[in-house]
C-alpha cells in the first residue's frame, strides 16, 4: 500500500514537471528517454534540430541554459508553442520531379533560400564564443535570414558584415522617444530592411523556470556583467552612444499611438 502511494506521488510529480510537459507529457517521456541519452558529437549525426538540444545543454553554463530553454508562466508558453507546431503538417505530393525542389522565398524584395530563419536571441555570446557572428556566418552559408536581437552582444554593423547583407532587427523600444529614435536611425543607417517591434516584454516576464534553475550564487556572472544579473542596458552594444539616464528599456506605457509614431518615423518595413 505504501509503495503504491509513493508511486502515485512520483507520477503526480512527473505530471506537474515543466520539463516532462515540454517533452509532451508522461506518455512521451519514455519515448524521449533514449533520445536524451544519446548526445551527438558531430552536426552530421543530427536527425532533426532537437538533436542539438542535449549537446548544447552540456556545453552551456547552467544560468545561460535556463534563460535559453525556458518559457514564461511555468513554461506554459513553451508547451503551447510546441503543441501548436504539431498542428502544422506538410502536404506531400507524389510523382512530382523532386530533383527541382525550390524552397526560395521572397520577403520584402529580398530572396532567401528557405523560409526558415534564426530568431532574435539576446546575448548569443553566452552560447558561443563568436556569438551573433557565428550565427551570421551560418545563415550566410545557408542563404537564410537572420534577425538580430536588441540585446545583441555584437553590434549590428559587424553582424551585417559577417552575414553578407543586412539582417532584420528586433526592436525592444525604450520608453524615451529620443533614445528609441537614435536606435532606429542606427539600424536604418546599417541598411536593415525590417524592424520587428517586439511587445512581449513591455511589463516584464514571469520566467518561473529560469528563476528556479539559474545558479543561486551569481558572483561568477560579475566577470562579464557589472550587476551580476546579466547585461545591463549600458553594456549592450546597440545602446552605446545613447543617453540612458532615466530611460526604461522596457516600455510599459506603449500603445498603438507609439506604433503610429514609429511607423511615421522610419522608412523601413515595420512588423
Amino acid at each position: 500500500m505504501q509503495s503504491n502511494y509513493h508511486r502515485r506521488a512520483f507520477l503526480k510529480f512527473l505530471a506537474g514537471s515543466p520539463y516532462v510537459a515540454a517533452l509532451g507529457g508522461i506518455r512521451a517521456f519514455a519515448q524521449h528517454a533514449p533520445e536524451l541519452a544519446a548526445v551527438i558529437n558531430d552536426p552530421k549525426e543530427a536527425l532533426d534540430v532537437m538533436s542539438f538540444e542535449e549537446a548544447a545543454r552540456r556545453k552551456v553554463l547552467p544560468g545561460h541554459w535556463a534563460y535559453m530553454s525556458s518559457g514564461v508562466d511555468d513554461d506554459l508558453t513553451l508547451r503551447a508553442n510546441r503543441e501548436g507546431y504539431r498542428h502544422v503538417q506538410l502536404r506531400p505530393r507524389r510523382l512530382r520531379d523532386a530533383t527541382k525542389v525550390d524552397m526560395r522565398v521572397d520577403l520584402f524584395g529580398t530572396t532567401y533560400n528557405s523560409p526558415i530563419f534564426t530568431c532574435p536571441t539576446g546575448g548569443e555570446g553566452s552560447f558561443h564564443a563568436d556569438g551573433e557572428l557565428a550565427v551570421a556566418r551560418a545563415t550566410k552559408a545557408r542563404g537564410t535570414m537572420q534577425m538580430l536581437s536588441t540585446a545583441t552582444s555584437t553590434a549590428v554593423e559587424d553582424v551585417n558584415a559577417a552575414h553578407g547583407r543586412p539582417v532584420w532587427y528586433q526592436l525592444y523600444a525604450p520608453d524615451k522617444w529620443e533614445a528609441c529614435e537614435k536606435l532606429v536611425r542606427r539600424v536604418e543607417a546599417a541598411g536593415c530592411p525590417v524592424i520587428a517591434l517586439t511587445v512581449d516584454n513591455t511589463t516584464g516576464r514571469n520566467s518561473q523556470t529560469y528563476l528556479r534553475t539559474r545558479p543561486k550564487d551569481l558572483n561568477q556572472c560579475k566577470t562579464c556583467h557589472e550587476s551580476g544579473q546579466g547585461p545591463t542596458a549600458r553594456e549592450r552594444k546597440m545602446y552605446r552612444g545613447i543617453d540612458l539616464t532615466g530611460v526604461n528599456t522596457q516600455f510599459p506605457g506603449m500603445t498603438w499611438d507609439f506604433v503610429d509614431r514609429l511607423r511615421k518615423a522610419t522608412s523601413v518595413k515595420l512588423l
Side-chain angles (χ1 to χ4, degrees):
M1 183 69 71
Q2 188 73 5
S3 61
N4 288 336
Y5 169 79
H6 288 304
R7 187 179 297 110
R8 287 196 302 271
F10 176 67
L11 289 174
K12 184 177 180 181
F13 168 78
L14 283 181
S17 168
Y19 298 100
V20 174
L23 292 172
I26 292 179
R27 183 175 297 177
F29 185 75
Q31 298 173 355
H32 282 272
E35 298 174 22
L36 293 177
V39 183
I40 62 172
N41 296 309
D42 188 294
K44 295 178 181 178
E45 298 175 9
L47 300 179
D48 58 29
V49 69
M50 299 310 294
S51 297
F52 293 97
E53 186 171 31
E54 181 62 15
R57 185 189 69 79
R58 298 189 182 199
K59 290 284 188 180
V60 174
L61 290 174
H64 295 163
W65 181 252
Y67 163 74
M68 172 68 83
S69 62
S70 62
V72 300
D73 292 336
D74 231 355
D75 287 343
L76 290 176
T77 53
L78 184 65
R79 298 198 294 275
N81 284 341
R82 291 188 174 180
E83 178 61 28
Y85 275 113
R86 291 194 179 107
H87 295 285
V88 179
Q89 298 184 12
L90 298 178
R91 182 181 179 183
R93 298 181 182 274
R94 303 305 181 189
L95 298 178
R96 300 294 181 99
D97 185 355
T99 64
K100 300 177 182 178
V101 175
D102 186 356
M103 293 179 61
R104 288 179 298 177
V105 61
D106 184 275
L107 295 174
F108 303 124
T110 301
T111 300
Y112 300 97
N113 290 349
S114 167
I116 299 170
F117 63 93
T118 58
C119 290
T121 305
E124 290 174 5
S126 300
F127 308 100
H128 188 283
D130 292 338
E132 290 80 4
L133 296 181
V135 176
R137 291 194 296 267
T139 49
K140 179 181 180 180
R142 293 293 183 179
T144 58
M145 190 269 283
Q146 176 181 5
M147 191 183 297
L148 188 66
S149 169
T150 300
T152 175
S153 53
T154 310
V156 63
E157 297 85 358
D158 297 331
V159 176
N160 283 348
H163 186 59
R165 54 184 168 184
V167 299
W168 291 19
Y169 187 77
Q170 174 215 36
L171 174 65
Y172 275 122
D175 65 351
K176 185 178 179 181
W177 175 253
E178 291 76 10
C180 181
E181 188 175 31
K182 287 184 178 180
L183 197 56
V184 169
R185 296 288 172 256
R186 179 175 177 182
V187 171
E188 287 178 331
C192 296
V194 175
I195 290 176
L197 177 65
T198 307
V199 298
D200 68 331
N201 198 25
T202 55
T203 54
R205 294 192 190 98
N206 188 30
S207 304
Q208 291 169 271
T209 301
Y210 166 63
L211 294 174
R212 287 192 194 107
T213 55
R214 71 176 182 172
K216 302 301 181 185
D217 183 3
L218 298 177
N219 285 324
Q220 61 177 337
C221 300
K222 292 180 180 179
T223 58
C224 297
H225 312 299
E226 59 187 33
S227 67
Q229 297 284 336
T232 62
R234 287 179 173 79
E235 291 177 291
R236 292 173 178 161
K237 300 295 175 66
M238 292 303 297
Y239 289 120
R240 287 185 176 176
I242 298 177
D243 183 8
L244 295 176
T245 304
V247 173
N248 185 357
T249 53
Q250 297 174 352
F251 191 177
M254 187 184 297
T255 67
W256 285 107
D257 290 336
F258 173 82
V259 178
D260 184 58
R261 185 178 188 181
L262 183 60
R263 171 68 284 166
K264 294 174 180 176
T266 180
S267 58
V268 306
K269 300 295 182 183
L270 178 65
L271 305 181

